[in-house]
Amino acid sequence: MIKNLNKIIQNTLFIVVLLTIVVYLVFPFYWAVNSSFKTEAQLQMSPTTIVPRNIESNSFDLTFKNYINIFKNDQFVRGMLNSTIVSISTTILSLLSGSFAAFALGKLRFKGKKITLYTILAMTMFPQITVLSGLYAVINTLNIDAIPSMILSYMIFTLPFTTWVMTSFFRELPKELMQSAQVDGATPFQTFYMILLPLTAPALVTTGLLAFIQAWNEYLFALTFTSIDPAARTIPVAIALFSGEVTRQIPYGEIMAAAVVVTIPIVLLVFIFQKKIVAGLTAGAVKG
């Protein structure tokens, strides 16, 4: 009897904790979606409503005006294009450079390998703000355009992470694969891209997606580097600088609609590559 009661209490507590976590994680996104379908008048209703409602009749009433307005906004559309270019370029360059470096660090023997790994790890610990001013001075001195400067600066943080994670995957691959390839006459480069690299596909997808998300959502560097080139603004900066129809009006509905739209590509990528992501996150957890 006591055991059954303890089991019921444990299950109840587990469900309560699980529901609390789900609500905590999902509610902000739901509220953004809910607000994106409201007019400015509905957003100012007090008390606020869980779903869009008509002010007079109190009936369910949603509007797509905010979504229509953001796609009519050239600043938003240009920001989406700029973010796509910057994020994809950063991801591809990080994976290319990181996979080469990870292969060398994980499979080749050379002096200073441990020091190199610890240096790469240390690079991920620096806050962005600590390198921003110096990096901005370098970008100005070299007269690099805003979009290339963002791509290069984002790699300061995505490349060390990509290299560190990929190194662990290359290290776990059996050394017999390289030995067999060498016996068959394959060069180290052929061994890398024809044999070992395809086996690290889960790691490539996982690290690539994380690098893409970081570049897609980055705000501080984008705001700084595009201050003198508004046409190069990425989507986080474009949303932050949304203006209302009148002075000092903050268009919360359009901001929420834009937030929902820019989240969709990330959600789609996760759904498309979810099997690879799970394989990449769990690789090495079980041996044998």
Side-chain angles (χ1 to χ4, degrees):
M1 182 70 178
I2 297 176
K3 289 183 178 180
N4 291 335
L5 181 61
N6 289 336
K7 189 174 181 180
I8 293 173
I9 294 174
Q10 290 176 358
N11 291 337
T12 303
L13 289 175
F14 174 77
I15 293 173
V16 171
V17 172
L18 184 62
L19 289 175
T20 303
I21 294 174
V22 170
V23 171
Y24 178 78
L25 295 175
V26 174
F27 185 77
F29 183 72
Y30 164 75
W31 196 253
V33 175
N34 175 48
S35 300
S36 69
F37 288 110
K38 290 183 176 181
T39 62
E40 289 295 323
Q42 289 173 325
L43 287 170
Q44 295 174 10
M45 288 177 63
S46 181
T48 187
T49 56
I50 300 299
V51 295
R53 291 189 177 277
N54 187 283
I55 298 177
E56 298 178 355
S57 62
N58 201 31
S59 59
F60 180 73
D61 181 27
L62 56 84
T63 177
F64 291 93
K65 181 181 178 181
N66 294 321
Y67 289 92
I68 295 173
N69 288 342
I70 62 172
F71 283 108
K72 287 182 178 180
N73 189 335
D74 293 336
Q75 178 182 340
F76 176 80
V77 176
R78 193 185 304 114
M80 287 283 288
L81 178 60
N82 292 337
S83 285
T84 302
I85 294 172
V86 171
S87 300
I88 292 177
S89 300
T90 301
T91 303
I92 293 175
L93 290 175
S94 295
L95 290 178
L96 284 175
S97 305
S99 58
F100 278 114
F103 170 69
L105 293 168
K107 285 300 180 186
L108 302 182
R109 295 181 180 179
F110 58 91
K111 290 183 179 181
K113 184 161 70 172
K114 281 190 176 180
I115 296 176
T116 303
L117 276 171
Y118 288 131
T119 303
I120 292 173
L121 180 61
M123 289 295 296
T124 63
M125 300 179 183
F126 285 98
Q128 293 184 353
I129 192 66
T130 59
V131 299
L132 179 58
S133 58
L135 192 59
Y136 184 70
V138 172
I139 295 297
N140 276 340
T141 302
L142 298 178
N143 197 25
I144 303 176
D145 292 336
I147 289 181
S149 67
M150 284 188 286
I151 295 172
L152 294 174
S153 62
Y154 291 176
M155 288 183 64
I156 294 176
F157 302 99
T158 59
L159 185 55
F161 168 78
T162 302
T163 303
W164 180 266
V165 174
M166 292 292 296
T167 298
S168 63
F169 277 86
F170 276 106
R171 190 185 290 121
E172 293 296 326
L173 295 177
K175 61 182 180 180
E176 288 78 12
L177 291 173
M178 286 191 65
Q179 295 172 350
S180 299
Q182 291 172 355
V183 170
D184 292 336
T187 64
F189 181 72
Q190 289 174 328
T191 304
F192 164 70
Y193 84 89
M194 295 181 66
I195 299 175
L196 298 182
L197 191 61
L199 296 176
T200 62
L204 289 172
V205 172
T206 303
T207 54
L209 183 60
L210 293 175
F212 181 88
I213 293 173
Q214 185 173 3
W216 183 264
N217 293 330
E218 204 285 325
Y219 174 76
L220 182 61
F221 280 28
L223 177 64
T224 304
F225 294 144
T226 60
S227 58
I228 57 176
D229 187 8
R233 287 171 179 162
T234 55
I235 198 62
V237 180
I239 294 175
L241 297 178
F242 271 2
S243 59
E245 296 178 357
V246 296
T247 305
R248 296 185 179 181
Q249 177 192 4
I250 301 177
Y252 289 110
E254 293 180 12
I255 291 174
M256 292 296 108
V260 172
V261 170
V262 300
T263 305
I264 292 175
I266 304 298
V267 175
L268 291 177
L269 286 174
V270 171
F271 275 115
I272 293 171
F273 297 109
Q274 59 180 329
K275 291 184 179 180
K276 294 288 185 182
I277 294 171
V278 173
L281 292 174
T282 57
V286 179
K287 291 187 177 181

